[in-house]
Amino acid sequence: MSLDRRGFLKLSTAAGVATMIPGCSMEEKKMGTPTKAILKISCQEGVAPGETLTEKLDFLEANGYVGIEIGGRGLVDRVEEIQKALEGRTIKVSAICAGFKGVIISEKEEVRKEAMQSMKEILTAAGALGSTGLIIVPAFNGQTQLGHQESRELLIPLLQELGVHAQSVNSRILLEPLNRKEAHFLRQVADAAAICRDVNNPAICCMGDFWHMTWEETNDMGAFISAGNYLHHVHIASRKRRKMPGEDEGDNYVVGFKGLKMIDYQDYISLECGSVGDKKVTVPAAAKLIKEQWEMA
Ligand code: MG
């Protein structure tokens, strides 16, 4: 049976306003359906106030944070230290932020190989820490001479290989789109999700960063919905200067949070930002703002 456009529209109307969520096994989620999404607020280690990891964890736990995001550089040698610091706590490691060597879409084979080796090592450490995944940027501006099409064709099989490793160590790759001033190759959440779809490995996923999304996305909700089940991490910062959420006038994440609720988002929203004010004041204030806007969404 074939449906013409008029017939399809009639059928859609009869079924109510339904939206297809990519990456959700083609299930339909109706507008207004109660969300299964949960709010889990995280903070990067370098953003949290405190001299030591223990001080930072104490501060974050006392202020409603349930995740800490750790840098990937040197992570392999820090696994024991971090495991010990987390013992008996409810706060967990959220994502691991980059810190690998090499460039995965470099035109030079040895630079690609260095990236693959380094990412695999960090993935193994990420898995040991129960992290949600390793954030990667395929290339910053100036790091590859390859054009877009060639970069993408090169990236897919390399991600397939990384996906196999990530699965074996119980972790994930999280592709991060950046704004055009930092990267030309991957700028939008939907593009990251399309790469995940083409790789077709459950350990190859993506994330969104409200800071970059401010410049590259036309709609935060649309961006998150386009990623669906491929989305496993979110970065948050103020929208004009990349400071603490709430430090720029009009910082608003409600539309994005609505999108996260529509996809039943289960992972962390993590602070990646500077701070104008004293972090002992602004980090708790950011958590309060995020919770308030999550409720509004
Ligand atoms: Mg980011």
Side-chain angles (χ1 to χ4, degrees), residues 176 209 212 235 242 272:
E176 179 170 18
D209 180 329
H212 300 295
H235 277 162
R242 208 178 194 181
E272 183 184 54

Side-chain angles (χ1 to χ4, degrees), residues 20-150:
M20 299 298 283
I21 310 292
C24 289
S25 315
M26 300 305 280
E27 283 172 19
E28 283 189 357
K29 186 176 173 70
K30 288 178 184 166
M31 298 279 271
T33 306
T35 182
K36 294 192 194 96
I38 43 172
L39 177 62
K40 298 198 292 186
I41 310 179
S42 162
C43 179
Q44 286 191 339
E45 184 181 9
V47 176
E51 291 299 311
T52 63
L53 179 56
T54 299
E55 280 181 24
K56 288 169 187 279
L57 291 169
D58 286 345
F59 185 87
L60 292 175
E61 273 193 326
N63 287 286
Y65 287 78
V66 295
I68 184 164
E69 182 178 322
I70 312 264
R73 192 179 305 274
L75 187 75
V76 175
D77 300 320
R78 292 189 65 198
V79 172
E80 220 174 296
E81 173 214 339
I82 296 165
Q83 280 171 334
K84 246 186 197 160
L86 287 169
E87 261 173 30
R89 295 181 184 270
T90 51
I91 191 167
K92 293 182 168 59
V93 174
S94 59
I96 300 298
C97 192
F100 51 86
K101 296 174 187 156
V103 180
I104 194 170
I105 54 169
S106 169
E107 71 280 11
K108 296 179 189 133
E109 195 186 354
E110 69 270 21
V111 179
R112 294 199 296 272
K113 274 190 175 167
E114 190 184 26
M116 291 293 283
Q117 182 59 32
S118 179
M119 285 174 186
K120 284 178 186 174
E121 286 169 8
I122 301 173
L123 276 169
T124 303
L129 290 168
S131 156
T132 51
L134 167 64
I135 297 167
I136 74 158
V137 169
F140 287 89
N141 284 336
Q143 284 189 324
T144 183
Q145 299 303 311
L146 301 178
H148 187 276
Q149 191 177 344
E150 216 178 334

Side-chain angles (χ1 to χ4, degrees), residues 133-295:
L134 167 64
I135 297 167
I136 74 158
V137 169
F140 287 89
N141 284 336
Q143 284 189 324
T144 183
Q145 299 303 311
L146 301 178
H148 187 276
Q149 191 177 344
E150 216 178 334
S151 295
R152 203 181 190 286
E153 281 167 8
L154 189 64
L155 181 62
I156 300 292
L158 293 176
L159 286 177
Q160 278 160 345
E161 185 183 329
L162 277 179
V164 171
H165 180 81
Q167 275 187 294
S168 75
V169 296
N170 214 8
S171 194
R172 287 191 193 98
I173 287 287
L174 300 163
L175 291 168
E176 179 170 18
L178 304 183
N179 74 74
R180 69 199 69 187
K181 288 184 181 169
E182 295 187 36
H184 69 269
F185 176 70
L186 182 58
R187 298 185 297 105
Q188 290 188 305
V189 176
D191 194 17
I195 292 171
C196 298
R197 178 202 61 198
D198 291 354
V199 173
N200 194 25
N201 180 303
I204 300 300
C205 301
C206 67
M207 60 168 291
D209 180 329
F210 274 107
W211 165 251
H212 300 295
M213 289 166 68
T214 301
W215 315 107
E216 300 297 337
E217 305 289 351
T218 52
N219 185 290
D220 293 338
M221 179 167 66
F224 287 141
I225 291 174
S226 71
N229 281 358
Y230 296 119
L231 193 86
H232 282 280
H233 198 57
V234 170
H235 277 162
I236 193 164
S238 76
R239 308 207 76 154
K240 293 193 178 88
R241 296 175 294 171
R242 208 178 194 181
K243 301 298 181 187
M244 208 58 70
E247 285 197 311
D248 282 338
E249 206 185 323
D251 278 343
N252 194 315
Y253 312 92
V254 176
V255 171
F257 290 169
K258 278 183 200 283
L260 295 178
K261 287 188 172 181
M262 284 196 68
I263 61 169
D264 294 332
Y265 184 67
Q266 298 291 307
D267 293 281
Y268 296 91
I269 297 175
S270 192
L271 293 182
E272 183 184 54
C273 55
S275 183
V276 181
D278 179 0
K279 285 191 202 168
K280 285 187 177 147
V281 176
T282 60
V283 171
K288 185 169 174 280
L289 178 140
I290 292 167
K291 280 178 190 162
E292 283 169 1
Q293 294 200 0
W294 181 265
E295 288 306 315

